[in-house]
Amino acid sequence: MSDPVKLAIIYYSSTGTGTAIVDEMSKAAQNAGAEVRVRKAAELAPQAAIDANPIWAAHHTNTAGVPAPTLDDVAWADALIFGSPTRFGNLAAQLKQFLDTLSPLWMSGALADKVYSGFTSTGTRHGGHESTLLAMNNSFIHFGGIIVPPGYTDPVKFVDGNPYGTSHHAEFGPDLGSISEDTRNAARHQAERVVRIAGALKRGIAA
């Protein structure tokens, strides 16, 4: 494709699960021909809270070089994948704070007609996977966006079982921040589907 799909992956992760999902999505999207920007929402938690959790502190340090998202990243993108850990069945404040800055783009109509999709992780098996993804969709609807969920459009989705978006049960312990092969497969499929649909829309609009 001479004019590749521009994909922005904008997420927040405290202990690294989201970052691991983003790594899979970014590679899959690039392999599908997309130009990708990865952006991590700015940290809002006090340093004392971060330092109290060694895994959080290490991840905070290791991702210090990932740029924070800007309005330009959103305006630039043909498609956006947002990711957040679940916080009481809803988005993390760090990602929500960024979404709340998008009013200028929304008022100008610049958020409309883009492709949107989401992913999440939780510390418990039924701790808000779907409600967090549906909460993201509320914003996408207000944007006038085109929501592209993974659905059950590939056999890998019958394994991970979440048609709303990639989600991962992040068990507490020494492996916190890593993800399973099932989650990796789901993340790759979601990214590839977003790029494919966004590409079809982009070609159709240009025709």
Side-chain angles (χ1 to χ4, degrees), residues 39-207:
R39 301 291 187 260
K40 180 172 176 279
E43 184 59 78
L44 301 177
Q47 193 63 45
I50 298 170
D51 292 341
N53 182 331
I55 298 176
W56 189 357
H59 181 254
H60 180 62
T61 299
N62 292 340
T63 56
V66 181
T70 66
L71 297 188
D72 176 70
D73 294 319
V74 177
W76 166 86
D78 302 307
L80 297 105
I81 300 176
F82 286 93
S84 172
T86 289
R87 295 289 184 262
F88 304 113
N90 215 317
L91 304 183
Q94 290 85 347
L95 184 64
K96 182 62 167 62
Q97 192 276 336
F98 175 68
L99 290 174
D100 288 346
T101 71
L102 298 180
S103 292
L105 293 179
W106 170 73
M107 293 179 68
S108 70
L111 297 179
D113 301 334
K114 297 176 184 288
V115 164
Y116 295 88
S117 201
F119 69 87
T120 191
S121 63
T122 77
T124 52
R125 291 190 183 278
H126 302 287
H129 296 257
E130 293 175 0
S131 63
T132 299
L133 294 169
L134 289 170
M136 288 187 198
N137 286 351
N138 290 338
S139 294
F140 304 159
I141 290 166
H142 279 258
F143 296 165
I146 300 163
I147 300 171
V148 176
Y152 291 110
T153 56
D154 187 274
V156 300
K157 294 306 299 176
F158 290 93
V159 177
D160 100 303
N162 192 336
Y164 299 87
T166 300
S167 67
H168 183 77
H169 171 210
E171 297 188 61
F172 294 102
D175 293 330
L176 185 63
S178 63
I179 58 175
S180 67
E181 191 60 29
D182 290 344
T183 301
R184 293 181 191 279
N185 290 336
R188 288 192 288 264
H189 172 64
Q190 185 172 356
E192 290 163 358
R193 177 169 162 78
V194 165
V195 171
R196 178 168 57 83
I197 299 300
L201 287 168
K202 188 170 184 174
R203 290 189 297 273
I205 291 170

Side-chain angles (χ1 to χ4, degrees), residues 9-26:
I9 305 177
I10 298 174
Y11 78 108
Y12 173 72
S13 176
S14 56
T15 56
T17 303
T19 299
I21 293 172
V22 167
D23 288 346
E24 291 297 328
M25 287 185 162
S26 177

